[in-house]
Coordinates of all heavy atoms in Angstrom, one line a residue:
Q7 N 13.6 -46.3 46.2 CA 12.6 -45.6 47.0 C 12.1 -44.3 46.3 O 10.9 -44.1 46.3 CB 13.3 -45.2 48.3 CG 12.4 -45.2 49.5 CD 13.2 -44.9 50.8 OE1 14.4 -45.0 50.8 NE2 12.5 -44.4 51.8
V8 N 13.1 -43.6 45.7 CA 12.7 -42.4 45.0 C 11.8 -42.8 43.8 O 10.9 -42.1 43.4 CB 14.0 -41.6 44.5 CG1 13.6 -40.5 43.5 CG2 14.7 -41.1 45.7
H9 N 12.1 -43.9 43.2 CA 11.3 -44.4 42.0 C 9.8 -44.6 42.5 O 8.9 -44.1 41.8 CB 11.9 -45.8 41.5 CG 11.4 -46.1 40.2 ND1 12.3 -46.4 39.1 CD2 10.2 -46.2 39.6 CE1 11.6 -46.7 38.1 NE2 10.3 -46.6 38.3
E10 N 9.6 -45.2 43.6 CA 8.3 -45.3 44.2 C 7.6 -44.0 44.4 O 6.5 -43.7 44.1 CB 8.3 -46.2 45.5 CG 8.6 -47.6 45.3 CD 7.7 -48.3 44.2 OE1 6.5 -48.1 44.2 OE2 8.3 -48.9 43.3
E11 N 8.5 -43.1 45.0 CA 8.0 -41.7 45.3 C 7.5 -41.0 44.1 O 6.5 -40.4 44.0 CB 9.2 -41.0 46.0 CG 8.7 -39.8 46.8 CD 10.0 -39.0 47.3 OE1 11.0 -39.6 47.6 OE2 9.8 -37.8 47.5
V12 N 8.4 -41.2 43.0 CA 8.0 -40.5 41.7 C 6.6 -41.0 41.2 O 5.8 -40.2 40.8 CB 9.1 -40.8 40.6 CG1 8.6 -40.4 39.2 CG2 10.3 -40.0 40.9
K13 N 6.4 -42.3 41.3 CA 5.2 -42.9 40.9 C 4.0 -42.3 41.6 O 3.0 -41.9 41.0 CB 5.2 -44.4 41.1 CG 5.9 -45.2 40.1 CD 5.7 -46.7 40.3 CE 6.7 -47.5 39.6 NZ 6.7 -48.9 40.1
V14 N 4.1 -42.2 43.0 CA 3.0 -41.7 43.8 C 2.8 -40.2 43.4 O 1.7 -39.7 43.2 CB 3.4 -41.8 45.3 CG1 2.3 -41.2 46.1 CG2 3.5 -43.3 45.6
R15 N 3.9 -39.4 43.4 CA 3.8 -38.0 43.2 C 3.2 -37.7 41.8 O 2.3 -36.8 41.7 CB 5.2 -37.3 43.3 CG 5.7 -37.3 44.8 CD 4.9 -36.3 45.6 NE 4.7 -35.0 44.9 CZ 5.6 -34.1 44.8 NH1 6.7 -34.2 45.4 NH2 5.3 -33.0 44.2
I16 N 3.6 -38.4 40.8 CA 3.1 -38.1 39.5 C 1.6 -38.4 39.4 O 0.8 -37.7 38.7 CB 3.9 -38.7 38.4 CG1 3.7 -38.0 37.0 CG2 3.6 -40.2 38.2 CD1 4.7 -37.0 36.7
S17 N 1.2 -39.4 40.1 CA -0.2 -39.8 40.0 C -1.1 -38.8 40.8 O -2.3 -38.7 40.5 CB -0.4 -41.2 40.7 OG -0.2 -41.1 42.1
E18 N -0.5 -37.9 41.6 CA -1.2 -36.9 42.3 C -1.4 -35.6 41.5 O -2.1 -34.7 41.9 CB -0.6 -36.6 43.7 CG -0.8 -37.8 44.7 CD 0.2 -37.6 45.9 OE1 1.0 -36.7 45.9 OE2 0.1 -38.5 46.8
V19 N -0.5 -35.5 40.5 CA -0.5 -34.2 39.7 C -1.8 -34.1 38.9 O -2.1 -34.9 38.1 CB 0.7 -34.1 38.8 CG1 0.6 -32.9 37.9 CG2 2.0 -34.1 39.7
T20 N -2.5 -32.9 39.1 CA -3.7 -32.7 38.3 C -3.7 -31.5 37.4 O -4.6 -31.2 36.6 CB -5.0 -32.6 39.2 OG1 -4.7 -31.6 40.1 CG2 -5.2 -33.9 39.9
N21 N -2.7 -30.6 37.7 CA -2.6 -29.4 36.8 C -1.2 -29.0 36.6 O -0.2 -29.6 37.1 CB -3.4 -28.2 37.4 CG -2.9 -27.9 38.8 OD1 -1.7 -27.9 39.0 ND2 -3.8 -27.6 39.7
L22 N -1.0 -28.0 35.7 CA 0.3 -27.6 35.3 C 1.2 -27.0 36.4 O 2.4 -27.2 36.4 CB 0.2 -26.6 34.1 CG -0.2 -27.2 32.8 CD1 -0.6 -26.1 31.8 CD2 0.9 -28.0 32.2
E23 N 0.5 -26.3 37.4 CA 1.3 -25.8 38.5 C 1.9 -26.9 39.3 O 3.1 -26.9 39.7 CB 0.4 -24.9 39.4 CG 0.1 -23.6 38.9 CD -1.2 -23.6 38.1 OE1 -2.2 -24.1 38.6 OE2 -1.2 -23.2 36.9
Q24 N 1.1 -27.9 39.6 CA 1.6 -29.1 40.3 C 2.7 -29.8 39.6 O 3.7 -30.3 40.1 CB 0.5 -30.1 40.7 CG -0.5 -29.5 41.7 CD -1.7 -30.4 41.8 OE1 -1.9 -31.3 41.1 NE2 -2.6 -30.0 42.7
L25 N 2.5 -29.9 38.3 CA 3.6 -30.5 37.4 C 4.9 -29.8 37.5 O 6.0 -30.4 37.6 CB 3.1 -30.6 36.0 CG 4.0 -31.4 35.1 CD1 4.0 -32.9 35.4 CD2 3.6 -31.3 33.6

Side-chain angles (χ1 to χ4, degrees):
Q7 214 177 337
V8 170
H9 199 124
E10 288 310 311
E11 202 184 329
V12 166
K13 280 187 194 163
V14 175
R15 288 290 314 280
I16 200 90
S17 70
E18 288 166 357
V19 172
T20 57
N21 60 39
L22 286 165
E23 286 88 56
Q24 291 170 355
L25 186 66

